[in-house]
Amino acid sequence: MSKRLYLLVLSTLLVACSGSTEDVRVTLCKDLVSEITAETVEASWDQEQMKFNGYEDMEVAISFTQSGTLGKISCFYPYDAVEENAMTQSDPASAHATYPSLVKFNNKAINSSELAKMINRVLLKQGKQAEKKGQEVIKTSVEELKIPGTD
């Protein structure tokens, strides 16, 4: 395999594997804030907490400020593990679903059908952002691999 091809494949794999180290449940909960408020202004995250309740729903509670207004979102993720194992022992969040069964925004529950629509819109946005980032990295990698004078 040529060095250029190797670097291109490597950079593509890095795009697929790189990203935030934040738990996906926290990220989804944060992204729901923008979807619920329809604000274009980024929220500042004041406090986030994951509360584990044994075999019950795990709560991701996040306090934020957006456009000068304080808010709170709580996303509840059902326990989803078939059995306890080393993974669920070392990372208790992995025993819970990645799709919330209930979301409370400023202590008010969101209707489940409306929540499903919001989550679908958020996931589509996340997918488009990942695709755009991947395209940018590949474009940059290709540009770096070009040999001068071979356009």
Side-chain angles (χ1 to χ4, degrees):
M1 183 182 299
S2 75
K3 184 177 180 181
R4 286 190 283 165
L5 181 58
Y6 174 75
L7 290 173
L8 183 59
V9 170
L10 182 62
S11 65
T12 304
L13 289 174
L14 286 174
V15 167
C17 298
S18 66
S20 174
T21 57
E22 181 175 75
D23 187 271
V24 295
R25 295 157 196 86
V26 173
T27 302
L28 179 57
C29 205
K30 286 180 176 179
D31 287 348
L32 281 169
V33 170
S34 297
E35 185 66 30
I36 292 166
T37 62
E39 285 277 341
T40 55
V41 177
E42 280 287 321
S44 65
W45 311 112
D46 303 325
Q47 183 181 19
E48 57 188 65
Q49 184 178 20
M50 294 175 88
K51 300 175 187 172
F52 299 97
N53 303 311
Y55 298 109
E56 300 296 320
D57 288 359
M58 173 187 72
E59 178 183 2
V60 173
I62 303 171
S63 300
F64 63 91
T65 306
Q66 189 175 38
S67 299
T69 304
L70 298 175
K72 180 182 179 188
I73 188 167
S74 293
C75 299
F76 297 86
Y77 296 90
Y79 188 83
D80 198 31
V82 175
E83 62 183 29
E84 293 286 326
N85 57 33
M87 181 66 171
T88 59
Q89 292 295 315
S90 64
D91 177 18
S94 69
H96 294 80
T98 54
Y99 192 100
S101 58
L102 172 68
V103 172
K104 291 183 179 180
F105 188 76
N106 293 329
N107 296 318
K108 184 177 178 184
I110 295 175
N111 173 292
S112 61
S113 63
E114 187 59 33
L115 176 61
K117 292 174 189 173
M118 286 182 199
I119 290 172
N120 286 336
R121 288 191 297 264
V122 166
L123 294 177
L124 281 172
K125 287 177 189 174
Q126 288 176 346
K128 288 177 183 177
Q129 289 170 345
E131 179 184 23
K132 183 178 177 184
K133 181 180 176 185
Q135 288 174 345
E136 290 170 359
V137 169
I138 290 171
K139 182 179 177 183
T140 302
S141 298
V142 168
E143 291 298 321
E144 290 174 0
L145 293 174
K146 283 186 179 177
I147 298 172
T150 61
D151 292 336

